[in-house]
Amino acid sequence: MSVSTVPEPKPTSPSITPMLEMKGITKRFPGVIANDRVDLSVRPGTVHTLLGENGAGKSTLMKILYGLYQPDEGEIFFEGKRIEIMSPADAINHGIGMIHQHFMLVPTLTVAENVALGLHPALSRADMGPVRRRLTEVSDQYGLKLDPDAYIWQLAVGERQRAEILKALYRDAQLLVLDEPTAVLTPPEVDDLFATLRQLTADGRGLIFISHKLHEVMELADEVTVLRDGEVSGHTTPAESSREHLAELMVGRSVSLTRDVGVSEVGPAKLQVDNLYVRGDRGTDAVKGLSLEVRAGEVVGIAGVSGNGQRELAEAIFGLRPVVSGSIAINGEEVVDHTPKSVRTNGLAYIPEERMKDGAIGDFTVAENLMLVGYKEPPFARRGFLNLEKIKERCTDLVHRYAVKTPTVETPTRNLSGGNIQKVVIAREFSSEAEAMVVAQPTRGVDIGAAEYIHEQLLRQRAAGAAILLISEDLDEIMQLSDRIIVLLEGEAMGEVMRGDATVGEIGLLMSGVR
Amino acid sequence: MTVRGVKNDAEVELEHSAASSLARLRPFVGLAVPLLAVAAALAVGAIMLLALGTSPIEGYRAMITGSLGGADKLADTAIKAMPLMLVGVGICIAFRAGVINIGGEGQIIAGAILSTSTALLVPDLPSAILIPMVLIAGAIGGGIWGAIPGGLKAYLGVNEILSTIMMNIIAAHFLSFLLQDLLIAEGDVKIQQTERLSENADLPLLPGGTRLHLGFIIALLVAVAAYILLFRSTLGVRLRAVGHNPHASRYAGMPVQRSIVEALAFSGACAGIAGAVLVFGSQSHRLIGEGGAAGFTQSAGFNGIVTALFGGLHPLATVPASFLFGAMLNGGIAMQRAVQVPSAMIIALNGVVVIFVVGSLRLRERLQRWFDDRVGIETSKERA
């Protein structure tokens, strides 16, 4: 479906009376006020965007709306009536639907069965006829093409999302909440989704759209409510606002959204991958004949929807995953089938995409995590014994240099925020003075302020002559930081573009397989 | 106490002082929760004693005087605590490295067999050489018996809980076999025991006129050594890292598989030393089997696990924890004599204590986490 099929909005302008009003919502958890007198009103036929950093209180507010939490204070009005939402079933009965970020579908059932689940008791496969008919009607009406008899496990991510939306529409949801629905989609899929969403609003439904991607907000929203530290920090419309202004409302200070990349001197090749084949977890090749080269002082970005071989590529380079064939060289030295330790010794640093699983140890202190790689090296250890004083000195210095917000270096790392944990990982890896580095999803789930800082550090490494392979799902991040961009699709390079030679649209097309 | 983006200085000040006074309370949680658990268990024990028609006050008085009343009693309690301490310290190493070692019994036996064999082979060496030799032999025996399931887990993915239990059974029956044949004492009466081992290997008594012997000093030294290993050495960093998060350890370049083997080997070595101490510190100075099972271990291979958990898996905290359990074992015997309850009652009472202590550990962890989060929240949520 393309944008041109979207019908013109109905002539009746969005009505002024809101369909949903949340007034003075307060929710306290031990030691934290997650929502503090939050007001939110959504008019029918509009998209209301809820914007905020992680931990700002967006999901708490939505859990209250969906009946998963009860507010300590405040009232909810729906279509003029005051309502109590005691459970998700209540919410659904009132006509509130939620599209979760992690889909709530049963993979072994069909689309129709998933839709019927919970509606018709003891439904057998033979009774699916009416469900299928109604489903086909709904999907035709909104251009949500989907085979009702397809099993969920057979569907691609974008199709699963459509199944979720259909599920809500089948229950005749008047108000739909979409929690970061674009996080898993390619740019063309995002266009399709937006077209569907516009059709839903044209039909008079209200949408709450949760996102932290500012350009999407500017494109789609009719109104924007920004949350910060549990309070509403701003209410505006895209017309009256700008991306910079929205970012400022989110973070509480002015943030630079453009990166001054500058020019760096490009040196010899530090990381070379040649005709690499790597097997994925499912037993098929996840990386197929990939070749690339990263030179000193250069950032090479790997763009692509996740699951197209990025993780397998990174793990293979780092010696964490066996290589089927091909070669990987660091500083000209062949490292295929080396251990991670030996790859590190050859001069590669690695920032893994899952920082809490692979990057840091939650139960270790900040200092222990900072020393996780270099703990054996003098002067931090001699003859197998640690020099705790030197370690503390070094870690205190690193914490200051990388602006890690932590009470002490002896604080358990799990008590830090996501952005600060990532800073710990980055401080450890960047301070190792490696000549080449693989950096995967460095700012995923990190707040804007920390992301800005992490990007600065990355560019500083580049200026210092490091060869950086940047893997990210965030196309903006790739476009801002990379000197060259390689688009990965199903393990193959779809093409390589230089900075400034391609638009987001063009790269988006490559990501979805159109050359 | 609330957390907010915007706070005035007085609020910040207040929260910080609240946080730091909370932080001061935190270490007591580790001690208070298990002690309360023991108290609760003893309360249940009191009900059991009442049901048997005896006075719990009298019973518990006998227990306390029997375990703590006087130098001799204290020494006996320390002797009971010794194997628990050694095994428990080893358990700390294994559990910290993420390996569940249920094989203490087998490792004690393996240590006892190897140290006994050493003493039988070279009985005439002087004490200054023979005693260190039998202790090292014990450590090697237990270490090998730990390393085998360690290797099975690390390289073949065999669950260490199952394999260490199986290794216990193998060790017990192997000992039984040895005591029927190779190691059995010469003589007409065939009892499953060795001859009296070389006097040169007897662990010397400590001054003070009690039965307390060198094994006690050795157990304390092993506890301190384990503490240094875990928290002051590079190997300890690696073992603990692997225990907390093998993924991140692998990414950091650590050899995860080797660490698992090493952790179980060290753990087994501690239990093996306990095996040597149990043989050469015993009053009979023999290795004695009791039927199919090995009675000389006093079940320290299992009780040592509870001891270590009671001590929060910290080698130094395991020292007082082993005393508490030693006192209960020792005092239980006194109680049995004083109020004439069946010995099954004492075993049941120990069981109740174990259940309460193990049950309280999760509560303690949650309380400690709660404290950590309270203290951590203020600072980690502060934004520029």
Side-chain angles (χ1 to χ4, degrees):
Chain A
M1 200 183 80
S2 73
V3 182
S4 59
T5 61
V6 180
E8 288 297 307
K10 283 181 185 169
T12 52
S13 64
S15 89
I16 307 300
T17 47
M19 68 191 302
L20 171 76
E21 270 193 287
M22 298 178 86
K23 283 186 183 167
I25 300 291
T26 297
K27 179 72 185 172
R28 297 184 194 89
F29 293 110
V32 192
I33 297 186
N35 283 159
D36 188 8
R37 288 160 291 161
V38 173
D39 295 324
L40 179 75
S41 80
V42 183
R43 289 174 297 135
T46 63
V47 177
H48 195 120
T49 291
L50 200 52
L51 195 63
E53 305 255 68
N54 293 320
K58 291 174 305 200
S59 53
T60 304
L61 190 67
M62 289 303 105
K63 280 178 178 165
I64 288 170
L65 178 62
Y66 204 53
L68 292 164
Y69 291 153
Q70 299 308 312
D72 296 325
E73 284 161 33
E75 299 176 312
I76 302 172
F77 294 89
F78 195 68
E79 286 167 344
K81 286 194 297 280
R82 177 155 189 239
I83 57 167
E84 303 263 344
I85 306 171
M86 303 307 290
S87 69
D90 273 0
I92 292 166
N93 288 337
H94 283 299
I96 299 168
M98 180 145 336
I99 316 299
H100 296 272
Q101 200 178 354
H102 303 285
F103 302 141
M104 305 288 171
L105 296 165
V106 183
T108 52
L109 296 182
T110 66
V111 173
E113 285 166 342
N114 266 285
V115 166
L117 211 62
L119 279 184
H120 311 282
L123 205 64
S124 75
R125 257 171 213 189
D127 301 329
M128 293 305 290
V131 177
R132 291 218 321 262
R133 269 196 299 284
R134 174 86 212 286
L135 196 57
T136 317
E137 272 172 39
V138 178
S139 69
D140 285 349
Q141 191 185 345
Y142 294 103
L144 288 160
K145 247 183 8 202
L146 204 56
D147 174 9
D149 296 321
Y151 287 93
I152 297 298
W153 60 263
Q154 297 172 320
L155 302 181
V157 176
E159 293 174 312
R160 289 184 195 199
Q161 189 173 59
R162 263 178 258 161
E164 278 280 19
I165 296 174
L166 277 176
K167 205 166 94 182
L169 292 177
Y170 187 93
R171 287 160 170 75
D172 203 23
Q174 290 302 310
L175 176 71
L176 260 90
V177 182
L178 297 115
D179 187 3
E180 304 208 5
T182 60
V184 291
L185 303 180
T186 61
E189 285 176 318
V190 171
D191 289 342
D192 283 352
L193 174 70
F194 281 11
T196 303
L197 297 184
R198 287 196 187 96
Q199 250 178 306
L200 291 172
T201 53
D203 210 27
R205 293 175 209 265
L207 298 180
I208 297 177
F209 180 78
I210 299 172
S211 180
H212 60 259
K213 293 185 182 167
L214 296 171
H215 62 87
E216 290 178 0
V217 174
M218 296 300 286
E219 187 186 336
L220 189 69
D222 295 301
E223 286 178 68
V224 185
T225 294
V226 188
L227 291 181
R228 184 172 75 236
D229 291 323
E231 290 176 277
V232 174
S233 62
H235 178 91
T236 180
T237 65
E240 294 164 0
S241 181
S242 65
R243 286 172 59 183
E244 283 71 19
H245 179 228
L246 291 177
E248 199 176 324
L249 286 174
M250 277 168 79
V251 182
R253 62 178 170 86
S254 71
V255 195
S256 156
L257 293 174
T258 50
R259 307 277 175 252
D260 181 14
V261 174
V263 194
S264 73
E265 212 157 294
V266 175
K270 291 286 176 189
L271 172 65
Q272 291 157 296
V273 172
D274 192 38
N275 202 21
L276 184 72
Y277 284 82
V278 183
R279 195 140 302 160
D281 293 333
R282 287 190 210 121
T284 54
D285 284 343
V287 176
K288 300 167 196 156
L290 187 70
S291 300
L292 61 85
E293 189 181 83
V294 191
R295 291 165 294 178
E298 182 180 53
V299 175
V300 173
I302 301 277
V305 179
S306 68
N308 276 294
Q310 295 95 323
R311 189 168 57 89
E312 288 82 358
L313 170 66
E315 289 179 356
I317 292 174
F318 205 66
L320 292 156
R321 186 177 279 274
V323 164
V324 178
S325 68
S327 87
I328 301 165
I330 294 162
N331 271 326
E333 195 94 12
E334 179 70 40
V335 294
V336 161
D337 291 337
H338 281 215
T339 62
K341 190 182 172 192
S342 137
V343 175
R344 278 188 184 279
T345 319
N346 271 301
L348 188 80
Y350 185 22
I351 293 172
E353 61 175 89
E354 292 190 49
R355 75 184 70 98
M356 279 320 285
K357 178 168 163 253
D358 301 326
I361 298 177
D363 288 323
F364 263 25
T365 65
V366 170
E368 283 172 324
N369 270 308
L370 284 169
M371 298 307 297
L372 209 56
V373 175
Y375 67 102
K376 274 199 283 198
E377 276 151 36
F380 310 114
R382 267 183 218 289
R383 290 193 201 92
F385 290 98
L386 302 170
N387 184 337
L388 295 182
E389 221 142 277
K390 281 271 189 294
I391 287 175
K392 190 169 179 183
E393 215 170 273
R394 157 88 166 166
C395 292
T396 312
D397 177 51
L398 280 177
V399 160
H400 283 299
R401 266 203 286 153
Y402 286 85
V404 181
K405 283 198 198 87
T406 174
T408 66
V409 294
E410 267 109 38
T411 303
T413 306
R414 64 178 145 79
N415 287 352
L416 271 53
S417 70
N420 279 306
I421 294 174
Q422 184 71 333
K423 282 188 196 168
V424 169
V425 176
I426 281 174
R428 179 183 76 215
E429 298 296 327
F430 283 3
S431 64
S432 69
E433 282 159 19
E435 290 169 89
M437 34 191 83
V438 175
V439 179
Q441 320 291 358
T443 59
R444 181 156 74 188
V446 161
D447 50 65
I448 294 187
E452 183 188 23
Y453 186 80
I454 289 166
H455 286 168
E456 275 169 24
Q457 291 296 329
L458 201 89
L459 291 172
R460 193 171 295 171
Q461 288 294 318
R462 168 177 171 267
I468 300 169
L469 186 68
L470 171 67
I471 299 173
S472 178
E473 292 171 332
D474 183 349
L475 204 45
D476 291 340
E477 182 171 53
I478 293 271
M479 306 261 304
Q480 278 176 3
L481 300 174
S482 313
D483 296 295
R484 287 184 287 133
I485 299 166
I486 294 169
V487 179
L488 210 59
L489 180 72
E490 286 168 11
E492 289 178 80
M494 288 299 290
E496 183 174 325
V497 289
M498 301 295 287
R499 178 212 307 284
D501 281 2
T503 63
V504 174
E506 285 161 355
I507 292 179
L509 283 178
L510 285 175
M511 280 164 72
S512 52
V514 183
R515 275 189 220 250
Chain B
M1 191 175 51
T2 57
V3 176
R4 205 73 75 60
V6 186
K7 287 178 284 202
N8 64 40
D9 288 349
E11 276 174 339
V12 172
E13 189 77 8
L14 196 70
E15 280 175 12
H16 275 244
S17 65
S20 56
S21 63
L22 270 177
R24 275 199 296 275
L25 276 175
R26 188 194 178 281
F28 295 104
V29 174
L31 195 64
V33 172
L35 285 179
L36 283 174
V38 171
L42 293 179
V44 172
I47 296 169
M48 288 159 61
L49 286 169
L50 280 173
L52 287 173
T54 54
S55 155
I57 297 171
E58 213 178 304
Y60 284 140
R61 187 184 295 143
M63 187 180 226
I64 291 167
T65 51
S67 58
L68 307 171
D72 283 331
K73 305 286 186 201
L74 274 171
D76 284 353
T77 294
I79 287 168
K80 282 270 190 288
M82 245 179 256
L84 298 176
M85 202 185 299
L86 283 162
V87 173
V89 161
I91 293 296
C92 292
I93 298 173
F95 279 35
R96 290 251 175 194
V99 190
I100 313 291
N101 180 12
I102 314 289
E105 287 288 294
Q107 292 146 14
I108 292 174
I109 295 169
I113 291 173
L114 206 62
S115 56
T116 302
S117 309
T118 307
L120 288 171
L121 279 174
V122 284
D124 300 328
L125 288 175
S127 288
I129 296 170
L130 191 56
I131 290 173
M133 264 181 78
V134 297
L135 290 172
I136 290 167
I140 292 172
I144 291 172
W145 218 249
I148 293 168
L152 289 172
K153 177 186 171 66
Y155 298 103
L156 297 173
V158 177
N159 182 308
E160 79 276 20
I161 299 178
L162 295 177
S163 61
T164 49
I165 291 173
M166 293 304 145
M167 293 295 281
N168 287 344
I169 297 168
I170 295 170
H173 287 279
F174 184 56
L175 174 65
S176 178
F177 160 74
L178 288 178
L179 287 178
Q180 281 171 34
D181 193 358
L182 271 173
L183 296 181
I184 196 163
E186 300 284 324
D188 299 331
V189 190
K190 292 295 179 192
I191 304 172
Q192 281 206 17
Q193 62 180 31
T194 60
E195 61 191 67
R196 201 236 183 259
L197 298 165
S198 163
E199 280 181 24
N200 292 354
D202 289 0
L203 295 179
L205 296 180
L206 296 179
T210 63
R211 293 202 298 127
L212 196 62
H213 55 76
L214 184 68
F216 184 64
I217 305 290
I218 290 161
L220 289 178
L221 287 177
V222 169
V224 172
Y227 169 76
I228 292 170
L229 171 81
L230 278 175
F231 297 104
R232 292 280 185 273
S233 81
T234 56
L235 179 61
V237 172
R238 176 149 66 76
L239 294 183
R240 286 185 298 120
V242 167
H244 280 304
N245 185 341
H247 299 285
S249 309
R250 196 158 155 249
Y251 277 67
M254 295 173 176
V256 172
Q257 294 169 319
R258 203 177 82 210
S259 304
I260 290 170
V261 181
E262 285 167 347
L264 260 172
F266 276 112
S267 187
C270 294
I273 294 172
V277 168
L278 281 165
V279 171
F280 296 98
S282 70
Q283 284 171 312
S284 65
H285 298 282
R286 301 165 190 264
L287 176 51
I288 304 171
E290 280 174 20
F296 81 97
T297 66
Q298 302 168 6
S299 293
F302 296 122
N303 291 334
I305 298 172
V306 187
T307 309
L309 291 173
F310 194 87
L313 295 179
H314 195 290
L316 297 183
T318 301
V319 173
S322 64
F323 265 93
L324 186 91
F325 279 92
M328 287 205 328
L329 291 175
N330 207 21
I333 300 163
M335 184 202 298
Q336 192 188 334
R337 271 197 302 262
V339 294
Q340 300 293 322
V341 287
S343 64
M345 167 67 204
I346 304 304
I347 297 169
L349 183 60
N350 279 333
V352 170
V353 171
V354 167
I355 288 171
F356 269 78
V357 167
V358 173
S360 75
L361 295 171
R362 175 113 183 92
L363 177 69
R364 172 168 69 181
E365 198 180 294
R366 279 174 60 177
L367 271 175
Q368 285 174 336
R369 214 164 255 247
W370 184 84
F371 267 88
D372 286 350
D373 290 347
R374 275 305 154 92
V375 177
I377 265 172
E378 278 77 12
T379 29
S380 64
K381 284 272 172 89
E382 273 169 30
R383 298 254 156 83

